Amino acid sequence: MSGVTYKTAGVLGGMGPLATVDFLSKVVSLTPASCDQEHVPLIVHQVPQIPDRNRAILEGSDTPYAPMLLGLHRLAAAGAEFAVIPCNSAHHWYERLAASQSLRILHIADAVRQELQRRDMASRRVAILATRGTLRSGLYEGRLGEGSTRIVRVDEHAQLLIDHAIRAVKAGQRAPAAQSASEALDRTLDAGARVLILACTELPLALEYSPRLVDCVDSTLALARYCVAESRAEAPT
Amino acid sequence: MSGVTYKTAGVLGGMGPLATVDFLSKVVSLTPASCDQEHVPLIVHQVPQIPDRNRAILEGSDTPYAPMLLGLHRLAAAGAEFAVIPCNSAHHWYERLAASQSLRILHIADAVRQELQRRDMASRRVAILATRGTLRSGLYEGRLGEGSTRIVRVDEHAQLLIDHAIRAVKAGQRAPAAQSASEALDRTLDAGARVLILACTELPLALEYSPRLVDCVDSTLALARYCVAESRAEAPT
């Protein structure tokens, strides 16, 4: 075995279910491992019955908070040492969740900021492709806006396409999701954006086979990279 | 919401990590759902540091047992109401694990038997493609052999190819895995088998794009189907 130790990641998932599977797949892919035992240990709370986060934000409802907090408590009880939430909208409740239980939570917008820096994209004009709830919450602006990153707004037509793509992925309809998401991408690039942040974990699934992915920062992939780095610490030799 | 209630499935995973992701993906795909909230709730213990099951069986070692039992206890503590183990070799310890804690565990060979019946294949000559540990354990023969199912042995050359394919998937080397697994399939069909049971959860990953899949029963898919059926019970109206 190599000189690597692992912290167990707790994944507050199920928002949506396929996005969580995509996140786990990306964690496995990003981990340098030659056998099972070198992979990152994870506890996953895939409980999709948590009320819709986007709708709650738009309606001013607090219903997702209590089941998410319960999920974090269960992850800690099952052995998790830190937590990730592969759902952007859920980060609307990030500060309260972080303050109300013991697990450190890696913020998905911090993961995206790191990815922008890693790919030398931080000074380019970015657009945030997300649910209306995530946009209303402003959870990206606060964490990206401190540097030189300039944010281009997505217009209403593109937002309607994004809304449709997200719903379609959640209903298992990948082909119409791909079409809507691609149209939204093209429209937003035409409007002057140079980098598209896929700030909803359903969007990478809609765009899985798109050649436009080179212009995108996938928040699921960014969070997976952050999670692997956090879990794997080189042991002192 | 529909008149469906859900039991939370506990997944004792990480054996291997990619096989668990494949299992979760199949659970999501097999669930009839139009929104997040209609999906199956799961708690997943993806802790790949459990010692190699195949090697332990062949060496007469018991080292995987205690960490697997701990995993089941943690799943129960986190809210699981029944358990599945998407690793065939791990079922060598099935009886003791089932007897030593409170969660009912769905047996992967029972899932395969149900799938053989569902596809009207139960009376055909089957071959079991598995680790040497699973074969040594005899965990399939006992559960398939009661009916009219006839089992064709895999020869040593094909077994060497299977061993290689499994190791390659665990190391993230999908192309050589695909080649070895395909050769093993062809050789076993030539030897008279009519149905190939992929009785190691790495093998469906090796054969993901194979046209031979029509002749196979995928134990991961079978367990996913069993898990969804167990979780979703139509509520009385």
Side-chain angles (χ1 to χ4, degrees):
Chain A
M1 296 285 292
S2 60
V4 177
T5 57
Y6 304 89
K7 281 192 284 187
T8 300
V11 181
L12 187 64
M15 305 181 283
L18 205 57
T20 300
V21 173
D22 185 42
F23 172 78
L24 297 173
S25 173
K26 285 167 178 167
V27 166
V28 173
S29 300
L30 288 170
T31 306
S34 61
C35 63
D36 289 356
Q37 289 73 21
E38 291 173 13
H39 278 277
V40 168
L42 302 149
I43 312 285
V44 188
H45 184 266
Q46 165 98 309
V47 180
Q49 283 70 34
I50 295 172
D52 186 277
R53 286 67 58 196
N54 178 45
R55 190 181 304 164
I57 297 169
L58 298 178
E59 293 176 355
S61 157
D62 203 37
T63 51
Y65 175 71
M68 287 197 291
L69 184 59
L70 174 64
L72 289 167
H73 282 305
R74 285 176 161 185
L75 288 171
E81 294 168 273
F82 69 97
V84 291
I85 311 176
C87 169
N88 286 270
S89 306
H91 286 72
H92 177 70
W93 289 271
Y94 175 86
E95 281 75 16
R96 281 169 67 203
L97 290 171
S100 303
Q101 48 77 52
S102 60
L103 294 175
R104 178 182 171 221
I105 308 171
L106 309 187
H107 197 296
I108 197 164
D110 288 342
V112 166
R113 192 186 59 237
Q114 290 172 14
E115 192 78 0
L116 284 168
Q117 289 163 349
R118 201 180 68 83
R119 292 172 63 187
D120 206 16
M121 287 172 156
S123 65
R124 298 170 73 182
R125 281 187 293 179
V126 307
I128 298 166
L129 277 54
T131 63
R132 290 172 195 266
T134 292
L135 295 175
R136 172 84 63 88
S137 183
L139 58 95
Y140 269 87
E141 283 80 350
R143 286 175 191 256
L144 298 185
E146 291 167 17
S148 57
T149 304
R150 288 163 296 167
I151 294 175
V152 177
R153 284 188 66 83
V154 172
D155 71 18
E156 177 61 21
H157 185 94
Q159 187 61 46
L160 285 168
L161 291 165
I162 292 166
D163 297 345
H164 175 259
I166 294 168
R167 271 199 315 274
V169 169
K170 287 179 183 293
Q173 297 160 356
R174 300 284 280 274
Q179 188 171 346
S180 294
S182 294
E183 277 186 54
L185 246 66
D186 288 341
R187 199 173 166 93
T188 308
L189 288 168
D190 286 347
R194 288 293 160 263
V195 177
L196 303 165
I197 298 176
L198 306 182
C200 170
T201 52
E202 268 72 36
L203 291 174
L205 292 160
L207 294 161
E208 198 165 15
Y209 305 107
S210 168
R212 290 297 204 195
L213 277 182
V214 292
D215 302 314
C216 295
V217 172
D218 170 351
S219 60
T220 308
L221 186 69
L223 188 64
R225 198 186 302 281
Y226 194 5
C227 178
V228 172
E230 182 71 16
S231 173
R232 288 168 53 92
E234 296 290 334
T237 51
Chain B
M1 297 286 291
S2 59
V4 177
T5 57
Y6 303 89
K7 281 193 284 188
T8 300
V11 182
L12 187 63
M15 305 181 283
L18 204 58
T20 300
V21 172
D22 185 40
F23 172 78
L24 297 173
S25 173
K26 285 167 178 166
V27 166
V28 172
S29 299
L30 288 170
T31 306
S34 61
C35 64
D36 289 357
Q37 290 73 21
E38 292 173 12
H39 277 277
V40 168
L42 302 151
I43 313 285
V44 188
H45 184 266
Q46 165 98 309
V47 180
Q49 282 68 37
I50 295 173
D52 187 277
R53 286 67 57 196
N54 178 45
R55 189 181 305 163
I57 297 169
L58 297 178
E59 294 177 354
S61 156
D62 203 39
T63 51
Y65 176 71
M68 287 197 291
L69 183 61
L70 174 65
L72 289 167
H73 282 306
R74 284 176 162 185
L75 287 171
E81 295 167 273
F82 69 98
V84 291
I85 311 175
C87 170
N88 285 270
S89 306
H91 285 72
H92 177 70
W93 291 270
Y94 175 87
E95 281 75 15
R96 281 168 67 202
L97 290 171
S100 304
Q101 48 77 51
S102 61
L103 294 175
R104 179 183 168 217
I105 308 172
L106 309 188
H107 197 298
I108 198 164
D110 289 342
V112 166
R113 193 185 58 238
Q114 290 172 14
E115 193 78 359
L116 284 168
Q117 289 163 350
R118 200 181 69 82
R119 291 172 62 186
D120 207 15
M121 288 172 156
S123 63
R124 299 170 73 180
R125 281 186 294 179
V126 307
I128 298 167
L129 278 54
T131 63
R132 291 172 195 267
T134 292
L135 296 175
R136 171 85 64 87
S137 183
L139 58 94
Y140 269 87
E141 284 80 350
R143 289 178 189 253
L144 299 184
E146 292 167 18
S148 56
T149 305
R150 287 162 297 166
I151 295 175
V152 177
R153 284 187 66 83
V154 172
D155 70 19
E156 176 61 21
H157 185 95
Q159 187 62 46
L160 285 168
L161 291 164
I162 293 167
D163 297 346
H164 175 258
I166 294 168
R167 272 199 313 276
V169 169
K170 287 180 183 290
Q173 296 160 358
R174 300 284 280 275
Q179 189 171 345
S180 294
S182 293
E183 276 187 54
L185 247 65
D186 288 341
R187 199 173 165 91
T188 308
L189 288 168
D190 286 348
R194 288 292 158 265
V195 177
L196 303 166
I197 298 176
L198 305 182
C200 170
T201 53
E202 268 73 34
L203 291 174
L205 292 161
L207 293 161
E208 198 165 16
Y209 304 109
S210 168
R212 290 296 203 196
L213 276 182
V214 293
D215 301 313
C216 295
V217 172
D218 169 353
S219 61
T220 309
L221 186 69
L223 188 64
R225 199 186 302 281
Y226 194 6
C227 177
V228 171
E230 181 70 17
S231 172
R232 287 169 52 92
E234 297 290 334
T237 51

